[in-house]
Amino acid sequence: MTDTVICAALRDVPTTTLADLLGREQVMDIGIRPLWGPVPRVSGPAFTVSCPPGDNLMLHAAIYRAAPGSVIVVESGDLDHALAGGNVCAVARRRGVAAFVADGLIRDLGEVRELGFPVFARGIIPIPGAKKAVRPLNEPVRCGGVRVEPGDVVVADEEGVVVVPHARAEQLLPAARAKLAKEAEETLDDWEKAHRAKIDALLRG
């Protein structure tokens, strides 16, 4: 199965299902959230970027280097300067980038929302960063507390952001599909009956 097929298939899987299967360590913290809504679920291979505080050069470089369908993932942590604005997001969208997932801030939210470009980040600020610091692209980064390797599959929706390690992505799909199929067949009455029995047993214990 090709990476493109895997990413497309994972786009049909909610982040809640992936989180159940992968565990807490692959889920970004609650500060990394969609900046407008309702946001579509996105899924794509990570193109990773590292920006030091106060500088956004490498994210601006990444929009010209990331392959179409990529999710650009940014390590920064800066809460004083914007990593990108409306024009950068517009060019990224035009070049086929699926989304930004940034441990930092952006600006021009109204423009980004109007574009319909998905951005998952810590918030907004009107102050832009500088463009001086050159760093390697597509190296391992940490974003939202999760280690992200280039090519890992990033799935993001209104519930949060999950990083599926590249080596586990294909083998995870059957389990995710089976879980979704089981849930689809279960009525609320079935769920309540099983849930109540479980809770009662735990209380008795």
Side-chain angles (χ1 to χ4, degrees):
M1 193 179 298
T2 67
D3 289 350
T4 300
V5 171
I6 291 169
C7 289
L10 285 172
R11 195 175 301 119
D12 294 329
V13 182
T15 54
T16 48
T17 301
L18 294 173
D20 287 345
L21 294 170
L22 289 169
R24 177 66 186 89
E25 64 273 11
Q26 295 306 123
V27 180
M28 293 191 186
D29 70 55
I30 62 170
I32 311 296
R33 62 191 187 278
L35 296 188
W36 56 268
V39 69
R41 183 177 303 123
V42 298
S43 171
F47 186 94
T48 55
V49 180
S50 175
C51 292
D55 200 283
N56 60 29
L57 174 61
M58 296 318 297
L59 172 55
H60 289 230
I63 66 172
Y64 300 108
R65 289 158 177 79
S70 299
V71 175
I72 294 181
V73 179
V74 189
E75 176 182 309
S76 170
D78 183 11
L79 298 181
D80 294 313
H81 305 86
L83 288 162
N87 285 340
V88 169
C89 291
V91 171
R93 181 177 183 274
R94 186 165 67 183
R95 295 183 61 82
V97 173
F100 286 169
V101 174
D103 201 330
L105 312 174
I106 69 157
R107 67 180 194 165
D108 303 328
L109 180 59
E111 294 177 28
V112 176
R113 181 172 52 234
E114 187 174 345
L115 282 168
F117 183 69
V119 177
F120 299 78
R122 294 202 180 272
I124 54 174
I125 197 168
I127 305 168
K131 294 172 182 60
K132 297 178 181 178
V134 177
R135 289 183 169 182
L137 291 168
N138 251 4
E139 298 285 335
V141 299
R142 288 195 71 81
C143 184
V146 178
R147 179 181 171 88
V148 185
E149 301 267 358
D152 286 348
V153 183
V154 180
V155 183
D157 60 21
E158 63 185 3
E159 299 282 350
V161 183
V162 178
V163 179
V164 182
H166 182 267
R168 298 176 62 185
E170 185 170 358
Q171 68 185 32
L172 189 75
L173 267 175
R177 286 170 171 161
K179 182 172 172 57
L180 288 172
K182 180 181 178 182
E183 290 170 354
E185 293 172 357
E186 187 178 48
T187 68
L188 181 58
D189 288 342
D190 293 336
W191 185 90
E192 182 182 3
K193 181 179 179 181
H195 180 256
R196 182 168 184 173
K198 178 181 178 180
I199 296 303
D200 288 346
L202 290 170
L203 292 175
R204 285 194 303 271

